[in-house]
């Protein structure tokens, strides 16, 4: 049986990646934060007493469901708001800009200082990658993030997404092909380095 401290350590270890995944899905930092917090609370309340080894899969499934619920609510709101559009004012609310790079904690494992130009190049590459990931279709993006950012295997990703392993492989393949093509088009072909 896991302790409360173990649960706290686990939640801290997944919070940044979960936020990034939710932010990609919602394009709203506030909504992403709400989704992650709700998912963490659900895990703690419903599954906190489970073995710690079960938490990663449970959390990914809870997070996926929370994101899907958010999208469903948005569709209902959009439908309702389209009917009320005649009563809306002309000025639109603008969301504050969110810097995706702030959510990345890139640590230098070797402990050596990285040259400023290399650091700048990496930051630019990450920014381009973030933009291209955000452009992926939702299921491709979800499969890509679960497999390559969360480190889940194909079976775990399929379970978290509620689809077959074949679908996961197809989504990941299409996502990586699309990303590679987009990065090459933007002059970021790392194969030649």
């Amino acid at each position: 049986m896991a302790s409360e401290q173990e649960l706290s350590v686990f939640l801290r270890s997944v919070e940044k990646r979960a936020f990034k995944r939710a932010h990609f899905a919602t394009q709203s930092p506030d909504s992403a934060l709400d989704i992650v917090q709700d998912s963490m609370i659900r895990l703690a309340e419903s599954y906190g007493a489970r073995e710690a080894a079960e938490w990663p899969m449970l959390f990914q499934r809870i997070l996926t469901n929370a994101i899907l619920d958010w999208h469903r609510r948005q569709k209902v709101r959009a439908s309702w708001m389209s009917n009320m559009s005649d009563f809306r004012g002309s000025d639109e609310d603008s969301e504050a800009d969110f810097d995706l790079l702030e959510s990345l904690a890139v640590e230098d494992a070797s402990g050596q200082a990285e040259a400023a130009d290399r650091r700048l190049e990496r930051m630019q590459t990450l920014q381009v990658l973030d933009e291209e990931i955000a452009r992926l279709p939702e299921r491709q993006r979800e499969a890509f993030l679960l497999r390559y950012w969360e480190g889940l295997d194909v079976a775990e990703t399929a379970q978290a997404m509620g689809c077959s392993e074949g679908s996961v492989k197809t989504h990941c393949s299409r996502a990586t092909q699309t990303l590679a093509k987009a990065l090459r088009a933007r002059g970021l072909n790392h194969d030649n380095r």
Side-chain angles (χ1 to χ4, degrees):
M1 203 120 123
S3 70
E4 194 171 310
Q5 183 179 5
E6 287 176 304
L7 180 60
S8 179
V9 168
F10 169 75
L11 293 175
R12 275 195 305 272
S13 74
V14 297
E15 70 183 339
K16 288 181 183 176
R17 291 187 318 258
F19 175 79
K20 190 159 190 78
R21 184 172 158 218
H23 184 259
F24 274 130
T26 64
Q27 297 299 306
S28 165
D30 293 333
S31 296
L33 185 59
D34 289 343
I35 288 169
V36 172
Q37 288 175 342
D38 288 345
S39 298
M40 288 179 166
I41 290 169
R42 286 182 200 164
L43 179 74
E45 289 177 346
S46 301
Y47 304 103
R50 296 258 184 118
E51 294 294 323
E54 295 180 53
W55 292 338
M57 282 304 305
L58 289 168
F59 182 71
Q60 291 306 323
R61 190 65 185 163
I62 291 168
L63 183 62
T64 296
N65 288 338
I67 291 169
L68 291 173
D69 289 345
W70 182 88
H71 280 290
R72 287 184 195 109
R73 285 191 304 272
Q74 293 307 306
K75 285 181 183 178
V76 170
R77 282 190 193 119
S79 173
W80 183 78
M81 289 305 288
S82 68
N83 294 334
M84 300 298 287
S85 62
D86 294 337
F87 301 107
R88 214 175 345 169
S90 59
D91 49 304
E92 297 178 14
D93 295 340
S94 62
E95 266 188 67
D97 289 336
F98 175 73
D99 185 2
L100 289 173
L101 294 177
E102 288 180 3
S103 65
L104 290 176
V106 181
E107 297 178 9
D108 185 2
S110 66
Q112 298 174 351
E114 189 175 27
D117 59 337
R118 179 68 184 125
R119 194 172 24 238
L120 176 62
E121 181 183 340
R122 184 171 59 179
M123 287 175 58
Q124 289 171 337
T125 301
L126 288 173
Q127 183 175 8
V128 168
L129 186 59
D130 279 347
E131 292 168 6
E132 295 303 331
I133 289 171
R135 288 187 180 111
L136 289 172
E138 184 179 339
R139 294 294 278 179
Q140 287 181 24
R141 182 177 55 241
E142 183 180 12
F144 179 84
L145 292 174
L146 287 171
R147 285 281 290 126
Y148 302 113
W149 287 24
E150 294 295 334
L152 301 181
D153 64 25
V154 174
E156 292 169 333
T157 303
Q159 184 180 359
M161 291 178 65
C163 65
S164 71
E165 291 182 22
S167 292
V168 169
K169 291 176 185 178
T170 300
H171 290 314
C172 286
S173 175
R174 289 179 181 164
T176 55
Q177 288 173 4
T178 300
L179 290 173
K181 183 178 176 181
L183 293 176
R184 276 193 303 274
R186 292 178 81 165
L188 296 171
N189 186 0
H190 292 283
D191 295 337
N192 300 331
R193 292 186 182 189

